């Protein structure tokens, strides 16, 4: 796996200016071909993704975007080389799964079964603690967590049985695209659990110095940015504070972090070998190519990181890529990604014609 780094004499391991690092593990030199991308996105997603600059660059490279009509059979539309989608619901899930079976030659971004897994916070982080990243300059962990499906009033005993310690982060079990599914709460004691609405996931809060690392993945490109997060919870606070409190939207683009404001031990980005190893494993296990990982560094450690959330094709892809003035390039990243898909399809076709087994 090849890593291309932007020159930065201050940061020998890659560009960390303005709280970001970019790892490019794929060449942007692809054979230019006509590529038709059918897209099925919400109006909000379409507005954020199909920016004029992206469409202009795409046309220059022979890429066209075609809106999928959800009122017509998908197989009657196209033909498409790629189907890019982010719609929820069992009906659409069945439509895209049926289309994928009937048109294996079309690249679907991404398979609905793979997406479904990370829409459930119970299955989202399963298996991450077992990743073998021993030679990747760090350790990946997941917070202890449990699922509450119905009665939060009786969950206190279950919390004790599960070995979870307060305070606990409470998250809705299912991610359904609504603002409510992203609401987070911090519960300091057993009594406060009764105020929460199930189904939900309870996750141990890990002190992390008030900084969150958002890792954006587009195919073989990895981009990392810092965001402000919740401050550490002291032992005194644990003893004196009671109740449940709603999180602010601390990971938004407006909460971006300038590393000069932080302790260097807190501000340092996760090591590249660790990010590469983690993303490689997740791409393989999840079967996804467009996703985001939320990571934190355990306070007081240098190389112990926790994955706390994974999102599919999040809207913050775009605010992240053009928020920073030094790298307003999300459009080119996606163009290279789509051209890579075209190149891979072309090479696969040549191999099939010549009788070579891929």
């Amino acid at each position: 796996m090849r890593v291309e780094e932007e020159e930065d004499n201050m940061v020998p391991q890659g560009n960390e200016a303005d709280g970001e690092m970019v790892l490019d593990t794929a060449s942007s030199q692809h054979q230019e071909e006509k590529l038709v991308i059918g897209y099925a996105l919400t109006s909000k997603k379409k507005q954020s993704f199909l920016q004029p600059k992206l469409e202009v660059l795409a046309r220059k490279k022979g890429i066209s975007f075609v809106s999928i009509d959800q009122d017509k059979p998908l197989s009657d539309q196209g033909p498409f080389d790629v189907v890019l989608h982010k719609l929820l619901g069992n009906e659409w899930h069945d439509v895209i799964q049926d289309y994928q079976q009937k048109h294996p030659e079309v690249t679907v971004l991404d398979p609905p079964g793979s997406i479904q897994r990370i829409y459930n916070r119970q299955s989202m982080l399963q298996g991450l603690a077992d990743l073998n990243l021993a030679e990747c300059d760090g350790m990946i962990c997941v917070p202890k967590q449990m699922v509450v499906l119905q009665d939060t009033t009786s969950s206190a005993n279950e919390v004790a049985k599960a070995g979870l310690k307060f305070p606990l982060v409470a998250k809705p079990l299912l991610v359904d695209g609504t603002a409510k599914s992203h609401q987070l709460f911090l519960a300091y004691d057993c009594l406060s659990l009764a105020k929460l609405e199930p189904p939900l996931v309870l996750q141990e809060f890990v002190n992390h110095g008030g900084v969150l690392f958002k890792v954006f993945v587009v195919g073989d490109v990895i981009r990392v940015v810092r965001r402000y997060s919740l401050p550490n919870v002291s032992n005194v606070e644990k003893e004196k504070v009671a109740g449940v409190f709603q999180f602010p939207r601390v990971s938004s683009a407006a909460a971006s972090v300038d590393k000069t404001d932080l302790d260097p031990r807190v501000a340092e980005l996760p090591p590249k070998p660790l990010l590469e190893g983690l993303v490689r494993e997740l791409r393989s296990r999840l079967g996804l190519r467009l996703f985001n990982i939320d990571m934190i560094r355990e306070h007081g450690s240098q190389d112990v990181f926790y994955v706390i959330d994974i999102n599919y094709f999040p809207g913050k892809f775009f605010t992240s890529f053009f928020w920073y003035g030094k790298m307003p390039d999300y459009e080119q990243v996606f163009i290279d990604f789509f051209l890579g898909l075209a190149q891979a399809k072309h090479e696969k076709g040549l191999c099939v014609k010549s009788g070579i087994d891929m």
Side-chain angles (χ1 to χ4, degrees), residues 35-39 49 63-68 79-84 109 338:
L35 189 72
V36 180
I37 300 175
Y39 65 89
F49 179 65
I63 300 172
S64 59
F65 293 98
V66 178
S67 177
I68 292 174
F80 303 120
D81 298 292
V82 176
V83 169
L84 177 67
L109 297 173
F338 291 136

Side-chain angles (χ1 to χ4, degrees), residues 99-354:
Y99 178 83
Q100 194 173 24
Q101 292 174 352
K102 293 179 179 177
H103 299 274
E105 76 283 359
V106 178
T107 301
V108 175
L109 297 173
D110 274 310
S114 300
I115 298 171
Q116 204 67 27
R117 174 178 171 179
I118 63 172
Y119 281 165
N120 185 314
R121 288 193 167 100
Q122 182 176 16
S123 57
M124 177 189 292
L125 304 181
Q126 284 180 349
L128 265 66
D130 300 326
L131 295 179
N132 183 16
L133 302 174
E135 299 181 0
C136 293
D137 296 345
M139 178 186 300
I140 294 294
C141 307
V142 294
K144 289 183 180 179
Q145 67 177 39
M146 63 171 284
V147 175
V148 179
L149 295 177
Q150 295 179 342
D151 186 11
T152 55
T153 59
S154 62
S155 59
N157 290 335
E158 299 301 319
V159 166
K161 289 180 182 178
L164 271 65
K165 297 178 181 179
F166 288 94
L168 299 175
V169 179
K171 307 177 180 183
L173 177 62
L174 301 179
V175 181
D176 59 11
T178 63
K180 185 177 180 180
S181 71
H182 292 284
Q183 287 181 348
L184 307 179
F185 297 85
L186 193 63
Y188 278 86
D189 58 74
C190 294
L191 295 177
S192 63
L193 296 179
K195 301 177 182 179
L196 299 171
E197 181 182 348
L200 52 82
V201 169
L202 298 177
Q203 196 176 79
E204 274 192 348
F205 178 78
V206 178
N207 280 337
H208 53 281
V211 174
L212 171 76
F213 302 105
K214 298 194 77 69
V215 183
F216 297 91
V217 181
V218 183
D220 292 313
V221 174
I222 304 169
R223 180 188 178 95
V224 189
V225 296
R226 301 180 188 88
R227 294 286 187 266
Y228 282 120
S229 181
L230 293 185
N232 291 341
V233 177
S234 67
N235 290 330
V236 173
E237 188 177 352
K238 292 178 185 178
E239 294 176 0
K240 292 186 176 181
V241 178
V244 60
F245 303 90
Q246 185 172 353
F247 277 38
R249 292 302 298 270
V250 293
S251 65
S252 66
S256 58
V257 178
D258 185 339
K259 68 176 183 179
T260 59
D261 297 335
L262 299 170
D263 183 328
R265 293 169 296 181
V266 173
E268 184 181 2
L269 295 176
K272 291 187 295 180
L274 185 68
L275 291 173
E276 291 173 339
L278 174 62
V279 169
R280 182 171 56 247
E281 288 287 338
L282 286 179
R283 275 201 305 248
S284 175
R285 293 183 179 219
L286 298 177
L288 299 175
R289 281 172 279 195
L290 299 172
F291 60 97
N292 150 244
I293 310 163
D294 286 351
M295 295 175 62
I296 56 177
R297 174 190 281 108
E298 185 177 42
H299 183 66
S301 76
Q302 182 178 1
D303 59 0
V304 178
F305 297 87
Y306 283 78
V307 174
I308 58 175
D309 221 13
I310 303 174
N311 301 287
Y312 173 66
F313 194 21
K316 292 186 180 66
F317 261 119
F318 317 112
T319 55
S320 169
F321 272 103
F322 59 67
W323 183 266
Y324 294 94
K326 293 190 177 182
M327 192 181 173
D329 62 348
Y330 98 87
E331 300 93 349
Q332 191 61 55
V333 169
F334 273 88
I335 292 299
D336 289 345
F337 171 61
F338 291 136
L339 290 176
L341 296 178
Q343 180 69 10
K345 183 176 180 179
H346 174 73
E347 291 175 354
K348 184 176 180 179
L350 291 178
C351 290
V352 170
K353 288 180 181 179
S354 61

Side-chain angles (χ1 to χ4, degrees), residues 5-19:
E5 302 175 358
E6 293 188 3
E7 292 185 6
D8 187 339
N9 294 330
M10 298 294 291
V11 188
Q13 289 194 359
N15 181 24
E16 294 190 15
D18 293 323

